[in-house]
Amino acid sequence: MADVVLSIENATKVYGSGPAATEALKDVTLQVERGEWIAIMGPSGHGKSTLLQLMGGLDRPTKGNIYLDKSDITRLSQGDLARLRGHKIGFVFQFFNLLPHLTALENVEMALWLGGMDKHLSRSRGLHLLDQVGLAKKAGNFPNALSGGQQQRVAIARALANDPDVLLMDEPTGNLDSAAEADLLERLSMLHEGGKTLVIVTHNPAVADRAQRRVRVRDGRIVGETNNA
Amino acid sequence: MNLWKFVWRNLIRRKGRFAFTLAGVAIGMAAFVALMSIGQGLTNEIKRQAQGLGANLVVTPNGWCAYEQISVLTGEQLPEAIPMSDLEKIRSLPGITAVPYLNEKTAFRNQPVPVVGIWPEEMRAMQKWRLAAGRYFSGQDEQGVVVGFAIAQQFKLKPGDEFTVRGHLMPVLGVLQETGTKDDIAAFIPLQVAQRIYGVDGKVSFIAVQVADLDHIEAVSLKIQEVANVAVVSDKQLLSSILSIVGTVGAAMQAVAAVGVVAAAFGIINTLLTAVYERRREIGIMQAIGCSHRALFIAFLLESSLYGLIGGLLGVVLGGFAAYLLGPHFAAQNTFTAALRQAPTLGLDGPTIGYALGLSIVLALLAGLYPAYQAAKLTPMEAIHHG
Ligand SMILES: Nc1ncnc2c1ncn2[C@@H]1O[C@H](COP(=O)(O)OP(=O)(O)O)[C@@H](O)[C@H]1O
Ligand SMILES: [Mg+2]
């Protein structure tokens, strides 16, 4: 029996109400195994981000349940959900990941602080995390002095700060040039080999090719899955 | 990284907005502190004068108002209303020392100078006066003046110089040592001479009474009112009635200044609401990486309270400085306090500073509540999907 880390069961998400209501997800069920690399693909506006946000406890489903490590996160209070995002989930968004008034290191330290790490330890741990993404030298730079790819790598370092169970990324290569994209892909592979669970929303075939499993989303439903050999 | 560092970075990231909002708080607080400090300075000055009176009881005509009572402390001109016969009756009571004051005024080199008619020996004994230069009166009827220290300085007077009391030329006999009270700013002449010059034969303005046994002050006071048709107030009553008037004036001015502080608090609300709006996406990111609504709420409250703390500190410094420079001018504009010594004094003490800072921080915290609530109620999705 496979070790399921994240399980979405019959999740439906409706945004808004009345005539303006949008059903972004319709009765979606998906299981993510520990150490797995999943690519979520599909056209724009069809519910990929919504699915990712429900998985990470950023939003609650209108119907259905979501289990992280077999506990139902839809039942958690606001505060517990925030703590869970801090400890067990790592997020990387397409744009605007970093707080602009904090340096690269401080952005990472912020996550460590929210995860409850002591101030004195968080500095060296933060530098170590930046070193892992090849940015130790840029620790003191503010985001506007970093390239898009570098910002994305800082965001990954930050997402990994509290050693989460699952790394969730929403189109992380969406606005990178091909060199930065290749570099990022290398780092994702290393993370995967290191045993991290990765769920990545992407349009990028190169990213999708590296994933073990590709999940296709259309009109708020999962319409197909392919496994890479 | 910690909460304070994060809050501090947020606070100062928009330098202009930070500076202007802070200036609002600082200016509002400065006005408030300046008025408090001036009021405090006046109160201290009045207390000092009351101590310098050297008497436990003051005998006044019936029906004196507070303005006349304060003149007892300031040495201002007073109506002459108590007959000498009453003075004699009071002096005959056992266990007391009573000295008369006749408070008048003269113009010397076109400047007003308080002139006080006194009994030379009795007064010197009660006030423990010492001379800085020259000599004291040699008799009850000597035609000469002994001037207070500040008067001597103001007019560059030394023994032997001439002084005029209502057109009568008189030599300066001596200069008193500095007392720090109203005695510094008056010229003294023997009572009999004063009564003659001012044509108020047989009358004095008020009588200061020292009671030998402090336990009997009440009884002595009643006794005095039995033997003469006069009013008697203790130095404490005198002090409290004067302070209550100065206090009322001070409280009214402070209320006006407080309006400025409240307006500054609205400045904080504005700035923080703008900040919440600008930082919506960041708030979303913060939530995504584990920041709770509670922590966001606290961070914004801390940010607003820093406006109160820093603005309050600046206000205390600015206000204290303004009070030091402007205090004498303000006091001179107020009928009740115009006659007090108008030297720059620092009226700021620990409790005053604490009170001002406390007010500033509490108001800033209140101002932060609504913006902090606005920030905390954002869901991660609202924040991230914004713009
Ligand atoms: N916060 C929201 N409020 C209202 N509608 C939303 C919100 N987020 C997404 N939607 C709608 O839900 C649908 C799915 O959006 P999304 O999950 O972002 O798609 P994708 O990531 O696949 O492009 C879209 O129609 C979108 O307009
Ligand atoms: Mg999307």
Side-chain angles (χ1 to χ4, degrees), chain B residues 238 257 301 360:
Chain B
L238 188 67
L301 269 196
S360 174

Side-chain angles (χ1 to χ4, degrees), chain B residues 48-311:
Chain B
R48 237 163 38 79
Q49 295 290 357
Q51 271 171 8
L53 189 63
N56 316 113
L57 294 174
V58 176
V59 178
T60 72
N62 278 313
W64 257 13
C65 70
Y67 174 70
E68 286 160 324
Q69 291 187 343
I70 202 171
S71 294
V72 168
L73 294 189
T74 59
E76 277 295 280
Q77 190 168 15
L78 279 168
E80 52 288 322
I82 302 181
M84 293 295 276
S85 54
D86 278 353
L87 174 61
E88 286 316 317
K89 285 180 205 153
I90 292 166
R91 277 171 58 78
S92 65
L93 295 173
I96 65 162
T97 319
V99 298
Y101 283 76
L102 178 60
N103 281 22
E104 298 290 354
K105 197 160 219 153
T106 190
F108 182 58
R109 296 184 198 153
N110 287 323
Q111 303 270 356
V113 175
V115 171
V116 185
I118 54 164
W119 281 354
E121 283 319 310
E122 285 79 352
M123 191 68 174
R124 184 179 181 171
M126 187 186 263
Q127 297 295 347
K128 306 193 172 54
W129 277 343
R130 289 171 191 285
L131 289 178
R135 64 173 180 84
Y136 199 60
F137 303 103
S138 60
Q140 294 271 1
D141 207 9
E142 183 164 18
Q143 294 274 339
V145 298
V146 169
V147 294
F149 191 79
I151 292 289
Q153 279 196 323
Q154 186 186 346
F155 297 102
K156 309 219 170 0
L157 290 173
K158 50 187 192 311
D161 288 350
E162 261 176 359
F163 193 81
T164 46
V165 176
R166 233 197 186 184
H168 294 68
L169 277 178
M170 285 184 204
V172 173
L173 301 175
V175 177
L176 294 177
Q177 278 186 6
E178 190 166 16
T179 61
T181 67
K182 66 183 189 310
D183 294 348
D184 287 342
I185 54 164
F188 297 92
I189 56 177
L191 181 62
Q192 291 175 23
V193 178
Q195 284 174 332
R196 220 164 31 241
I197 291 176
Y198 287 92
V200 288
D201 227 15
K203 294 233 170 94
V204 299
S205 305
F206 68 93
I207 301 165
V209 175
Q210 253 183 359
V211 181
D213 187 346
L214 292 179
D215 291 338
H216 293 156
I217 287 185
E218 266 309 288
V220 170
S221 169
L222 290 173
K223 201 95 198 146
I224 291 173
Q225 289 171 85
E226 248 171 55
V227 298
N229 182 26
V230 291
V232 181
V233 289
S234 72
D235 54 346
K236 290 189 186 66
Q237 288 165 338
L238 188 67
L239 184 62
S240 72
S241 81
I242 292 167
L243 286 182
S244 80
I245 286 174
V246 173
T248 309
V249 175
M253 293 199 299
Q254 273 175 39
V256 173
V259 172
V261 180
V262 170
F266 280 95
I268 297 179
I269 298 181
N270 246 320
T271 295
L272 288 184
L273 279 178
T274 311
V276 171
Y277 184 78
E278 274 183 0
R279 297 180 203 158
R280 282 168 82 105
R281 294 214 54 163
E282 293 170 37
I283 289 169
I285 298 291
M286 292 284 291
Q287 293 182 332
I289 63 175
C291 190
S292 64
H293 289 223
R294 218 176 79 120
L296 276 170
F297 187 80
I298 290 172
F300 271 91
L301 269 196
L302 286 180
E303 193 168 335
S304 75
S305 68
L306 279 178
Y307 275 112
L309 177 67
I310 302 172

Side-chain angles (χ1 to χ4, degrees), chain A residues 118-206:
Chain A
D118 192 80
K119 189 178 157 192
H120 308 286
L121 301 174
S122 75
R123 216 189 130 71
S124 57
R125 166 92 174 136
L127 280 170
H128 173 72
L129 285 161
L130 283 177
D131 192 37
Q132 281 192 325
V133 294
L135 284 175
K137 284 206 177 69
K138 303 281 184 184
N141 285 30
F142 285 93
N144 62 12
L146 297 172
S147 72
Q150 289 170 335
Q151 290 186 29
Q152 227 40 349
R153 275 143 68 190
V154 174
I156 289 172
R158 186 183 60 192
L160 294 171
N162 296 306
D163 197 19
D165 293 344
V166 186
L167 202 55
L168 303 175
M169 304 192 181
D170 200 346
E171 305 193 37
T173 60
N175 58 340
L176 300 185
D177 60 36
S178 53
E181 180 191 302
D183 178 83
L184 192 69
L185 211 47
E186 259 340 286
R187 296 190 189 280
L188 293 181
S189 296
M190 278 162 59
L191 285 173
H192 174 58
E193 274 152 32
K196 273 280 174 259
T197 310
L198 305 180
V199 179
I200 303 182
V201 171
T202 187
H203 292 294
N204 188 327

